[in-house]
Amino acid sequence: MHPRSYHRIEIRSTDDRHLPIDDLEQRGEFWRENAQYTLGVKLLQKPNTNVAKNVIMFLGDGMSIPTLKAARVYLGQLHNESGEETVLSFEKFPVTGLSKTYCVNKQVPDSACTATAYLGGVKSNEATIGVTAAVQLKDCDASLLEENRVSSIGEWSQAKGKKTGIVTTTRITHASPAGVYAHTAHRDWESDSGDAPPNCKDIAYQLVHEDVGSKFNVILGGGRKNFLPKTAVDEEGDSGTRIDGENLIETWLKSKNKSKAKYVWNRDGLLNVSNDTEYLLGLFEGDHCKYHLDADDKEPSLAEMTQAAIKLLSVNNQKGYFLFVEGGRIDHAHHDTKAQKALDETIEFHKAIESAVNMTNEEDTLIVVTSDHAHTMSVSGYGNRGNDILGSPGIADDGLPYSTLTYANGPGYREQIDGKRPDISAENSRDKNYKFPAIAPLLSETHGGDDVAIFARGPWSHLLTGVIEQHVIPHIMAYASCVGDGLTVCNEAI
């Protein structure tokens, strides 16, 4: 790993160790030593060709490359640093690549078709999950055909006797986590209260009743309402949505029979789960988990959920595990053009990955960090080093300030006043719910079509380099961990 803190470059010789960083950076030797050291570290890196006993996939929903840039600056500035040189935990991983994002039928993708790609290894149509592109939106009958169904790396891992887990800050039935276990012709069929035909089971039902979903050892996220009937009220006073009258939480507990199964609904419950728990279901909100900036101490952080999952999946486990962890609310904040919340959720994601790194061994655990799609936020202007990332980099040609963080479209659009842009200097851009400026008016900001980054460490991580199609990612993870029916390190010939 590079010998630098998260916030400042720390390489100093004996003669200049007392000089402030700003003075050091004016010296060419400072940068040359830094570069030579980094070169030396990279020359020492060797491919890890062990079998990956464990695989952890971290998915930052909507975590575009500009989001990474802005988040690292934001993190640094939270620590009273300029921020540009800050390093997020996963940015220290030795391997990076780019993933191409699109649906079979869409130039810019959604979280459903991308989940099918990065978890199932097959590209599909927009808003469909766990099915091939032969299934059109809402085509229930086509989604039931076995030849149109796509299995995920979660299922491949279960077939090899590995434990499996899902962690998310969204509803556990939302598009990204559903990609691990569900097959549906519409991502919105999360509960039977939707418009799905009766013969197409909703996503919550599939998680509890069907073969793959029912085998998950750890399930942590939001979305209680989709598991409870409309006549029921959950622990926090919210009503369920189900019209079939079934309490899927009770069904899940009963289905575990004599196994040591536990259901929890708040942070205290999660932190007090015993280590011998074999199956854990944690639903911490009726809907999505709260944003970190809005949450209280009753709701666990993404890092705490990740730690609990790794701990339980590791107990008495010789065959290893597959764990999917989603920082899902980065995406939601971007849709609302609430950039500060998007950056804060990215920092929470960074903390969760840091926890996983500290709890696992790089020799036998492959960790892959990526995103499903981008967003339209840009980082622009010629602001001075250390300029407030949530502020303005300068004055535009019309004599008014503009924002460093700007969206191509969305609810942050401001109408002109007397033919002029509004003066944003009168606005409080540091309010956590501030909507950053957008060029075109839309109720919800759109995704971006950019490639997204891949960061990896552990066995066979070196295969995740270059520019690759998104659907290749699970095939590489499967190769490293010897699961699935394709080429693996355990079976060099198909």
Side-chain angles (χ1 to χ4, degrees):
M1 293 300 176
H2 196 288
R4 58 192 288 180
S5 71
Y6 285 168
H7 313 300
R8 305 296 290 190
I9 300 173
E10 296 290 354
I11 298 176
R12 304 183 183 216
S13 69
T14 304
D15 295 332
D16 60 21
R17 63 177 178 268
H18 300 298
L19 292 174
I21 288 289
D22 290 344
D23 289 346
L24 283 174
E25 290 184 351
Q26 295 177 20
R27 302 170 58 180
E29 193 59 28
F30 172 84
W31 300 106
R32 284 189 287 270
E33 288 182 8
N34 177 278
Q36 286 296 307
Y37 186 88
T38 301
L39 173 61
V41 170
K42 289 187 174 296
L43 289 172
L44 291 174
Q45 291 173 354
K46 303 296 181 185
N48 179 342
T49 56
N50 298 334
V51 173
K53 177 183 177 182
N54 313 307
V55 174
I56 307 176
M57 183 175 196
F58 282 93
L59 192 283
D61 198 310
M63 190 178 69
S64 61
I65 290 176
T67 301
L68 295 173
K69 157 76 176 186
R72 75 170 78 103
V73 175
Y74 178 71
L75 176 60
Q77 292 180 350
L78 288 176
H79 291 83
N80 298 315
E81 304 289 353
S82 67
E84 290 81 5
E85 63 289 329
T86 302
V87 182
L88 299 172
S89 57
F90 50 93
E91 292 179 323
K92 295 190 288 184
F93 285 11
V95 175
T96 58
L98 290 173
S99 168
K100 295 167 65 177
T101 65
Y102 57 92
C103 305
V104 168
N105 65 338
K106 291 289 182 177
Q107 190 174 68
V108 176
D110 77 326
S111 294
C113 77
T114 52
T116 307
Y118 64 73
L119 289 166
V122 173
K123 284 186 181 284
S124 62
N125 293 324
E126 181 187 38
T128 65
I129 303 170
V131 293
T132 70
V135 178
Q136 301 301 314
L137 187 65
K138 295 189 176 183
D139 189 346
C140 170
D141 292 339
S143 73
L144 296 174
L145 297 176
E146 191 61 35
E147 62 266 30
N148 292 341
R149 294 203 150 197
V150 175
S151 59
S152 78
I153 188 170
E155 182 175 353
W156 308 341
S157 299
Q158 289 175 354
K160 291 294 186 180
K162 293 179 179 289
K163 293 184 179 182
T164 49
I166 310 171
V167 172
T168 181
T169 52
T170 69
R171 295 187 297 269
I172 200 71
T173 51
H174 209 234
S176 302
V180 194
Y181 61 87
H183 309 277
T184 181
H186 201 306
R187 58 179 289 174
D188 290 346
W189 294 347
E190 296 183 52
S191 165
D192 68 340
S193 60
D195 62 353
N199 57 323
C200 268
K201 297 300 183 182
D202 60 88
I203 295 172
Y205 181 98
Q206 292 185 48
L207 178 58
V208 173
H209 282 285
E210 297 194 355
D211 188 54
V212 179
S214 65
K215 289 179 180 176
F216 274 86
N217 300 89
V218 178
I219 303 167
L220 302 175
R224 279 193 301 261
K225 66 181 182 181
N226 292 326
F227 294 80
L228 298 174
K230 285 187 173 183
T231 55
V233 176
D234 69 14
E235 295 85 352
E236 295 181 298
D238 297 320
S239 299
T241 64
R242 302 196 65 79
I243 59 177
D244 60 7
E246 183 175 7
N247 184 321
L248 288 176
I249 296 173
E250 292 181 355
T251 300
W252 181 86
L253 284 167
K254 291 176 182 177
S255 71
K256 301 312 170 192
N257 201 5
K258 295 181 180 180
S259 300
K260 294 179 179 178
K262 180 75 173 178
Y263 164 69
V264 296
W265 65 273
N266 60 15
R267 180 173 181 266
D268 285 344
L270 178 67
L271 298 183
N272 287 293
V273 170
S274 61
N275 289 340
D276 62 349
T277 301
E278 296 176 23
Y279 294 92
L280 175 63
L281 172 63
L283 298 175
F284 304 108
E285 282 290 336
D287 203 338
H288 299 303
C289 293
K290 290 188 175 79
Y291 286 112
H292 169 251
L293 287 177
D294 296 336
D296 54 29
D297 59 5
K298 294 181 180 179
E299 192 162 300
S301 67
L302 182 60
E304 289 170 335
M305 289 192 282
T306 301
Q307 291 162 11
I310 293 174
K311 180 174 69 174
L312 292 183
L313 293 174
S314 302
V315 173
N316 298 322
N317 185 0
Q318 298 303 312
K319 293 186 177 181
Y321 59 80
F322 171 78
L323 174 62
F324 175 76
V325 181
E326 182 197 23
R329 306 225 63 191
I330 303 169
D331 172 75
H332 297 163
H334 275 319
H335 279 306
D336 288 339
T337 65
K338 295 179 180 179
Q340 183 175 179
K341 282 188 170 178
L343 304 187
D344 185 77
E345 291 297 311
T346 305
I347 301 309
E348 290 301 296
F349 186 63
H350 135 90
K351 293 175 183 176
I353 296 165
E354 189 172 40
S355 295
V357 168
N358 292 335
M359 294 179 71
T360 58
N361 187 335
E362 190 172 3
E363 291 302 304
D364 69 1
T365 301
L366 172 62
I367 299 180
V368 178
V369 179
T370 189
S371 179
D372 48 355
H373 54 73
H375 270 275
T376 71
M377 187 194 78
S378 64
V379 184
S380 62
Y382 296 111
N384 291 331
R385 176 89 171 267
N387 190 63
D388 183 3
I389 192 66
L390 303 178
S392 170
I395 303 299
D397 290 347
D398 59 3
L400 294 172
Y402 62 99
S403 181
T404 300
L405 303 181
T406 308
Y407 290 86
N409 54 60
Y413 173 78
R414 276 85 162 153
E415 292 188 3
Q416 291 189 349
I417 302 173
D418 296 328
K420 294 183 178 181
R421 293 187 302 120
D423 185 354
I424 62 171
S425 65
E427 301 174 355
N428 180 13
S429 64
R430 297 203 65 82
D431 185 299
K432 65 182 179 181
N433 290 312
Y434 178 75
K435 293 182 179 180
F436 280 74
I439 297 172
L442 281 177
L443 183 63
S444 176
E445 178 263 357
T446 69
H447 295 166
D450 322 23
D451 292 352
V452 294
I454 306 170
F455 305 88
R457 59 167 258 164
W460 297 96
S461 58
H462 57 282
L463 298 181
L464 289 159
T465 56
V467 180
I468 63 175
E469 294 281 0
Q470 192 171 47
H471 73 282
V472 176
I473 295 173
H475 293 278
I476 292 175
M477 294 190 294
Y479 177 87
S481 58
C482 295
V483 302
D485 57 7
L487 184 66
T488 75
V489 64
C490 297
N491 178 15
E492 288 284 334
I494 298 178

